[in-house]
Amino acid sequence: MDLGIRFFAIKEDFIMPITDTKRYKRSKQRERILEILKKTNTHPTADWIYNHLKKEYPKLSLGNVYRNLNILVNQGLVHELSFGSTFDHYDAHTEEHYHFICQSCGAILDLEMPYIGADDRKVEKMTGAKVHFHRTEFYGICKKCLDKNQ
Ligand code: ZN
Ligand code: MN
């Protein structure tokens, strides 16, 4: 029977509500990464963040950025977005919201439309499962790309 449900490969640590922030030593770099993510709505990759911070922290490595991002994800401060693209994107805007993904330029746009929590309850009824959240992505060509090709 097809319930029309697509299962996403969501990393385990994304789902686990992790509450102990004490496990991690405070880190200036990690605070900067969070600050940068909070200031942007472009959903950057680890690579982008690394390039952005390289000048400020000459000893910083890409591995370092990934490690800090993983901690932020574990702390629930950042969401990891994988839309089947090669690289994960990061979002410090952690209230559930929907995205539009441009299939031409890869832009990821936040959509200002309400998250439908009722759907989570509907799926719980259908499956007997406990739903934590759902993700909806809209794919197409963004306005910028459309205008460029006019
Ligand atoms: Zn585009
Ligand atoms: Mn977003």
Side-chain angles (χ1 to χ4, degrees):
M1 182 175 59
D2 182 12
L3 292 175
I5 300 166
R6 283 205 299 145
F7 289 95
F8 289 84
I10 294 168
K11 296 198 176 94
E12 219 178 309
D13 54 8
F14 187 98
I15 297 170
M16 298 274 288
I18 291 171
T19 45
D20 66 322
T21 53
K22 290 177 222 105
R23 273 199 307 162
Y24 307 104
K25 254 196 178 162
R26 272 187 66 184
S27 136
K28 191 99 197 142
Q29 285 173 17
R30 190 156 65 245
E31 277 162 20
R32 276 293 286 142
I33 290 174
L34 183 60
E35 198 178 86
I36 285 169
L37 280 172
K38 278 190 168 158
K39 271 191 207 147
T40 182
N41 57 5
T42 59
H43 309 86
T45 60
D47 217 56
W48 186 93
I49 295 166
Y50 168 65
N51 284 316
H52 202 81
L53 280 178
K54 223 165 28 182
K55 272 192 204 127
E56 213 172 308
Y57 299 102
K59 283 186 187 153
L60 190 74
S61 70
L62 182 59
N64 225 271
V65 171
Y66 270 114
R67 199 145 14 91
N68 280 315
L69 281 167
N70 279 334
I71 292 172
L72 291 169
V73 170
N74 284 347
Q75 291 176 325
L77 298 171
V78 166
H79 281 176
E80 195 170 46
L81 310 172
S82 15
F83 299 132
S85 51
T86 327
F87 300 105
D88 286 340
H89 293 260
Y90 295 88
D91 194 349
H93 179 198
T94 52
E95 318 85 76
E96 294 304 340
H97 59 280
Y98 301 120
H99 292 107
F100 172 88
I101 296 110
C102 177
Q103 292 172 294
S104 175
C105 71
I108 301 167
L109 309 175
D110 289 330
L111 298 178
E112 305 229 346
M113 55 195 263
Y115 176 85
I116 305 166
D119 280 354
D120 293 358
R121 308 288 88 82
K122 208 188 291 173
V123 172
E124 286 183 344
K125 275 198 187 130
M126 284 164 75
T127 61
K130 172 88 191 87
V131 175
H132 291 150
F133 61 89
H134 70 265
R135 287 287 180 79
T136 296
E137 289 109 39
F138 297 84
Y139 291 88
I141 310 297
C142 76
K143 181 147 180 7
K144 263 192 198 161
C145 289
L146 283 175
D147 289 348
K148 228 187 286 170
N149 291 323
Q150 292 268 309

